[in-house]
Amino acid sequence: MEKSTQVIIAGAGAGGLILALSLHQIGVDCRVYEAVPDIRPIGAGINLLPHAVRELDELDLVPALDKVGIRTKDASYFTHHGQLVYTEPAGEAAGYPWPQFSIHRGDMQFTFLDAVRERLGPDSVQTGHRLVKVDQDEDGVTAHFVDPEGNALPPVRGGMLVGADGIKSALRKQFYPDEGEPIYSGLTIWRGVTPFKPFLSGANTIRIGWMSVGKLMVYPIRNNIDAEGNQLMNWVATLERPKPESYDWNRHASLDDFFEPYKNWHFDWLDVPALLQKTDPILIFPMVDRDPLKTWTFGRATLLGDAAHPMYPRGSNGAGQAILDARFLAGCIKRMGVGAEALQAYDKERVAATSKVVLMNRKNPPDAILREVHERSGGRKFDHINDVISVDELKSISSNYKQVAGFDIEQLKARPAFV
Ligand SMILES: Cc1cc2nc3c(=O)[nH]c(=O)nc-3n(C[C@H](O)[C@H](O)[C@H](O)COP(=O)(O)OP(=O)(O)OC[C@H]3O[C@@H](n4cnc5c(N)ncnc54)[C@H](O)[C@@H]3O)c2cc1C
């Protein structure tokens, strides 16, 4: 028997769930169809920057995020010798009216999922539904799903389909059958979370080193997780490597694969080898993205989030841009109704905006600060950072990224609400 809803959403990641909450906010009926039979808190940490948190605030999700995440206070950059390059305040400490959150991906997803189930009803997210294909006619779309064994499920009829189905998007494959695999950057990422004692401000996002000598990002994502006052610490190590064999978000790796460059990083403020050695499991993922598309929209079906614009996770913008897509699309639907016109308006704005972020993440993400210092110093210790690069230049790398990604403080404060 065919079911129906106004907006069919494929994928219960950040993008799909925030779209569902936003459509509920404007009184549009929708349902989320998720491939996995049982949603589990997979992954490691994610930073939600103020432009994304503004949208979450407009959905009244900040109190729930405060229960599980950490309000980030500052962002700092160090060389692989442990020398401070640059530090700047983050979130409210930087003067934004909205905080920045450092959070476990699972805690973020379950915060959104709980809110969807509470506000839209227990049946609003249907798990075990993998989108395989969409058909369209003049009046709407028919989405086809299979269960985890590959058996066809009853098709779902709707006024519109949004493919928020991640980096392996089935809808994108239907639109662009010849596109092939995501593009490998030459960099591989290892990541993990482990209990560890707080360092520096206790709410700092730090980036250390450079790809050729070992690059590491570390930030806490949960406070007071035990009687010793430890935090749940998230880290991401990045090294130049041949392409790993698969890109499954839950693939495990061993410490020996990547430990060597980090083995002497015993800094006063953080013992990196101890942090890495304590972590189990360690996850591995190739750093991949795709070339920006000219359009995500075909009639009454479109893409959103990683399905539309997978990007290198170097600027804390993957989840954030998915959230911005969802909110902008909801705003278009509020003004134009469910149909092709709203999708065209969404496509026109968000394809251009996110293409710039994808390209910026390739060339000049925030950690370009570390590339500049590494190249100009030849990877050697310096007496003073000003001998290598001026503070103004460091500030301008950081502020250029903020402008392109949409979280320049003045622009963000002045921007009208999406919904
Ligand atoms: C399991 C997992 C772990 C991750 N871990 C990290 C991490 O540690 N660090 C990081 O930076 N990023 C991680 N990411 C990516 C990060 O979540 C996204 O970059 C970002 O949040 C954008 O979200 P999204 O909603 O567009 O996509 P995603 O978060 O990828 O969500 C897509 C959802 O769609 C579902 N799906 C896939 N195919 C179909 C289909 N055909 N039909 C229906 N549903 C489908 C997936 O199961 C998933 O729930 C992870 C993603 C996943 C799926």
Side-chain angles (χ1 to χ4, degrees), residues 25 29 36 62 100 108 127 144 150 158 194 234 236 250 288 302 316 337 366:
Q25 189 182 39
D29 172 58
V36 300
V62 169
Q100 172 175 332
M108 174 191 76
T127 55
H144 301 273
T194 192
N234 172 77
V236 186
N250 205 24
V288 290
T302 197
S316 306

Side-chain angles (χ1 to χ4, degrees), residues 10-16 33-36 42-46 105 108-109 129-132 145 164-170 191 249 283 304-307 313 318-319 322:
Y33 294 88
E34 163 60 45
V36 300
I42 298 175
I46 277 192
R105 181 186 175 274
M108 174 191 76
Q109 189 182 22
H129 277 67
R130 177 174 295 281
L131 177 78
V132 283
F145 297 92
D165 51 346
I167 193 165
K168 297 182 181 177
S169 169
R191 61 200 207 289
W249 282 115
L283 304 172
L304 183 149
D306 275 8

Side-chain angles (χ1 to χ4, degrees), residues 86-382:
Y86 179 64
T87 191
E88 63 180 13
E92 288 154 312
Y96 289 94
W98 304 279
Q100 172 175 332
F101 280 105
S102 298
I103 188 168
H104 192 285
R105 181 186 175 274
D107 289 338
M108 174 191 76
Q109 189 182 22
F110 274 84
T111 299
F112 300 165
L113 183 62
D114 291 348
V116 170
R117 288 184 168 144
E118 195 186 304
R119 297 180 195 180
L120 281 74
D123 298 335
S124 52
V125 180
Q126 299 279 313
T127 55
H129 277 67
R130 177 174 295 281
L131 177 78
V132 283
K133 186 168 135 302
V134 63
D135 295 323
Q136 303 200 37
D137 53 49
E138 272 181 22
D139 303 324
V141 297
T142 305
H144 301 273
F145 297 92
V146 295
D147 69 14
E149 282 77 46
N151 305 309
L153 291 162
V156 182
R157 187 77 189 148
M160 167 189 286
L161 169 74
V162 181
D165 51 346
I167 193 165
K168 297 182 181 177
S169 169
L171 189 61
R172 182 169 176 138
K173 185 89 188 150
Q174 180 179 342
F175 290 163
Y176 295 96
D178 301 326
E179 194 181 26
E181 291 282 289
I183 306 162
Y184 182 54
S185 60
L187 299 169
T188 294
I189 308 164
W190 291 262
R191 61 200 207 289
V193 296
T194 192
F196 213 73
K197 55 183 184 308
F199 65 91
L200 298 173
S201 71
N204 199 310
T205 290
I206 58 165
R207 294 172 170 91
I208 318 169
W210 185 242
M211 314 300 177
S212 51
V213 288
K215 156 99 198 306
L216 192 75
M217 185 172 185
V218 189
Y219 51 90
I221 54 175
R222 257 183 234 154
N223 273 328
N224 290 321
I225 57 166
D226 56 24
E228 282 88 60
N230 280 320
Q231 296 175 314
L232 189 64
M233 207 61 79
N234 172 77
W235 57 262
V236 186
T238 312
L239 289 170
E240 293 164 349
R241 283 293 162 84
K243 187 172 178 231
E245 62 216 38
S246 77
Y247 61 103
D248 174 353
W249 282 115
N250 205 24
R251 205 175 135 222
H252 292 196
S254 99
L255 182 68
D256 297 341
D257 291 349
F258 69 99
F259 187 61
E260 177 67 23
Y262 305 98
K263 69 179 184 200
N264 296 320
W265 288 19
H266 303 284
F267 307 130
D268 304 345
W269 36 275
L270 181 67
D271 187 340
V272 171
L275 175 73
L276 302 184
Q277 280 164 329
K278 269 191 81 185
T279 307
D280 183 33
I282 291 168
L283 304 172
I284 181 169
F285 201 79
M287 195 188 282
V288 290
D289 69 359
R290 287 188 183 278
D291 288 330
L293 295 171
K294 289 209 167 57
T295 182
W296 308 332
T297 302
F298 292 82
R300 288 168 175 266
T302 197
L303 303 169
L304 183 149
D306 275 8
H309 48 69
M311 57 182 67
Y312 296 163
R314 287 174 68 177
S316 306
N317 256 277
Q321 294 298 327
I323 290 166
L324 296 190
D325 289 348
R327 296 291 291 164
F328 193 86
L329 175 55
C332 296
I333 293 173
K334 184 179 176 188
R335 290 191 304 280
M336 297 167 210
V338 173
E341 193 194 353
L343 291 187
Q344 284 305 330
Y346 158 73
D347 197 277
K348 188 160 182 261
E349 171 75 19
R350 293 301 299 161
V351 170
T354 55
S355 299
K356 287 187 201 147
V357 186
V358 170
L359 298 178
M360 191 77 164
N361 277 11
R362 284 184 186 170
K363 287 205 176 119
N364 281 315
D367 61 19
I369 284 179
L370 292 174
R371 179 193 62 216
E372 289 305 309
V373 172
H374 185 77
E375 287 177 357
R376 293 183 200 193
S377 65
R380 286 182 290 275
K381 282 191 177 180
F382 47 74

Side-chain angles (χ1 to χ4, degrees), residues 6 22-29:
Q6 275 184 287
S22 304
L23 293 175
H24 173 258
Q25 189 182 39
I26 59 169
V28 172
D29 172 58

